[in-house]
Amino acid sequence: MNAHLLPTGSPYFTAAETQIPERHTLSVLVDNEPGILARVVGLFTARGYNIDSLTVSETEHEKGLSRITVVTVATPKVLLQIKLQLERLVPVHKVHDLTAEGKALERELALVKVAGTGEHRVETLRLADAFRAQVVDATTESFVFEITGKPSKIDSFIALMVPLGLLEVVRTGLAAISRGPEGM
């Protein structure tokens, strides 16, 4: 049997998928109106695409525009399909693949609650200082830290807090912007 005619998981027999999934950050400029977020998320859900991170905020109040930042993992072929389908949605103005366009600035904020008594309390504060995490709440039995940075930095901080008494984590999701003088 010809290898290019083998089933691929699709109802259609096409060439086997040889592309490796990659993490991409998409920035989507939309009109700030009810239902647009549900439509964007629905596009992903209906097609079985996973969203790793999602942030939304009004960015241009006078123009009534919001920016949706979506992090997803997909093959280049699927990613192109996602972008094309997003661009067809009304009221989407622009879709940028910040990952493909070059090095984007990416940051995330997390609040991390850690139990802290005895020797663990001192070690927790030492590590928080090394990661430039700010204490935003402290009791005699716990701390809440605010940490910002790349998701990998936050992941590392959380991993170090587990043996020291990690209690709870809340993350905002990724905020990203392209470098250079060009805007969206």
Side-chain angles (χ1 to χ4, degrees):
M1 181 179 230
N2 292 335
H4 68 281
L5 296 177
L6 294 175
T8 62
S10 166
Y12 306 103
F13 293 103
T14 59
E17 184 66 55
T18 58
Q19 298 177 326
I20 298 170
E22 303 169 348
R23 177 187 172 276
H24 280 257
T25 303
L26 303 176
S27 186
V28 185
L29 190 64
V30 299
D31 285 340
N32 185 11
E33 61 182 46
I36 184 60
L37 179 59
R39 291 173 64 200
V40 169
V41 171
L43 183 147
F44 281 80
T45 316
R47 289 155 183 86
Y49 306 144
N50 191 37
I51 295 175
D52 289 344
S53 174
L54 177 70
T55 57
V56 184
S57 182
E58 185 176 60
T59 55
E60 296 182 46
H61 183 69
E62 301 79 31
K63 295 179 182 177
L65 298 176
S66 288
R67 188 174 191 154
I68 301 173
T69 304
V70 181
V71 179
T72 190
V73 176
T75 63
K77 180 180 173 182
V78 168
L79 190 65
L80 177 61
Q81 184 181 14
I82 290 170
K83 286 172 38 183
L84 291 173
Q85 290 171 351
L86 281 171
E87 287 169 347
R88 279 190 244 138
L89 282 179
V90 175
V92 171
H93 294 279
K94 295 180 186 175
V95 178
H96 287 276
D97 182 347
L98 297 176
T99 305
E101 293 174 9
K103 293 233 176 221
L105 296 173
E106 298 181 342
R107 295 294 182 266
E108 186 176 9
L109 173 119
L111 297 174
V112 181
K113 186 186 292 185
V114 182
T117 57
E119 290 179 24
H120 287 302
R121 190 171 182 84
V122 174
E123 181 66 8
T124 300
L125 286 171
R126 187 187 68 74
L127 286 170
D129 186 52
F131 277 82
R132 295 189 178 127
Q134 302 297 313
V135 177
V136 292
D137 185 57
T139 68
T140 57
E141 298 174 342
S142 68
F143 296 104
V144 175
F145 298 103
E146 175 185 293
I147 182 168
T148 59
K150 294 180 180 181
S152 59
K153 173 187 174 184
I154 294 172
D155 292 341
S156 296
F157 180 71
I158 291 168
L160 289 171
M161 292 297 115
V162 169
L164 297 174
L166 180 69
L167 297 171
E168 188 175 3
V169 177
V170 178
R171 296 174 81 153
T172 60
L174 195 67
I177 194 167
S178 61
R179 293 179 185 263
E182 299 290 322
M184 234 180 123

